[in-house]
Amino acid sequence: MTMAADALYTLAARVGERLKRDGLMLATVESCTGGWVAQAVTSVSGSSDWFDRGFVTYSNDAKCDMLGVSAQTLAARGAVSEETAREMAGGALGRSRASAALAITGVAGPTGGTPDKPVGMVCFAWALRGRPVESETRRFEGDREAVRRQSVQHALQGLLDRL
């Protein structure tokens, strides 16, 4: 295992320990990371005790169909927005048995960036049942893999910080 993979595994294991301790189940919603968070958490033995499911909603249609993201939100704010990320996370709670959800949507590059939404811009949301959904936007440097890896790490750390 590489050092980067080892760090993600360790972080995923810490998230799992906290979720299990608190009796919570996790759902992940990913766009630009394509299921990498789900892969990281399921690499932890025993994750079925605290991981319910992962949604990979790469297209706007998938975000609407699978999670109930509003077409109006997508038209007004775009797929890469905190508003969309919040609706993705909330939709995951509504369409799963999870009590915690994280969502990631962004521009991993090398193409797809615009002046308003440059390559490396990633929006995150974290939802815990009974609490307001939290979101934030980050800008990561590096190539596509680096942006995606940093996004996975940030999403897991953000969840851990909120538990």
Side-chain angles (χ1 to χ4, degrees):
M1 194 180 293
T2 66
M3 234 166 48
D6 189 45
L8 274 182
Y9 176 87
T10 300
L11 181 55
R14 288 179 55 215
V15 167
E17 288 168 9
R18 182 69 65 81
L19 287 164
K20 187 173 178 178
R21 184 195 78 194
D22 294 346
L24 303 175
M25 292 292 285
L26 174 65
T28 59
V29 187
E30 302 179 70
S31 186
C32 65
T33 51
W36 198 340
V37 175
Q39 188 279 329
V41 299
T42 58
S43 70
V44 178
S45 179
S47 56
S48 60
D49 291 339
W50 49 268
F51 181 64
D52 181 52
R53 67 190 74 188
F55 298 89
V56 177
T57 56
Y58 210 70
S59 71
N60 285 353
D61 285 342
K63 289 172 182 63
C64 295
D65 296 346
M66 294 175 72
L67 301 167
V69 171
S70 162
Q72 290 79 13
T73 300
L74 290 165
R77 305 297 297 160
V80 180
S81 66
E82 288 187 35
E83 292 83 357
T84 295
R86 285 195 298 271
E87 288 187 28
M88 290 167 66
L93 287 185
R95 288 167 166 77
S96 72
R97 291 175 177 81
S99 41
L102 63 81
I104 305 171
T105 183
V107 185
T111 61
T114 66
D116 288 344
K117 297 180 182 184
V119 169
M121 179 179 160
V122 183
C123 300
F124 300 88
W126 299 271
L128 296 166
R129 230 176 262 293
R131 290 175 39 189
V133 178
E134 295 183 45
S135 62
E136 68 180 34
T137 300
R138 296 289 303 266
R139 173 85 189 275
F140 299 113
E141 299 295 327
D143 63 12
R144 183 176 181 82
E145 183 173 344
V147 168
R148 294 174 69 198
R149 179 183 295 107
Q150 292 170 85
S151 297
V152 170
Q153 193 166 12
H154 185 73
L156 287 170
Q157 186 61 56
L159 177 62
L160 190 59
D161 292 346
R162 287 161 175 82
L163 291 173

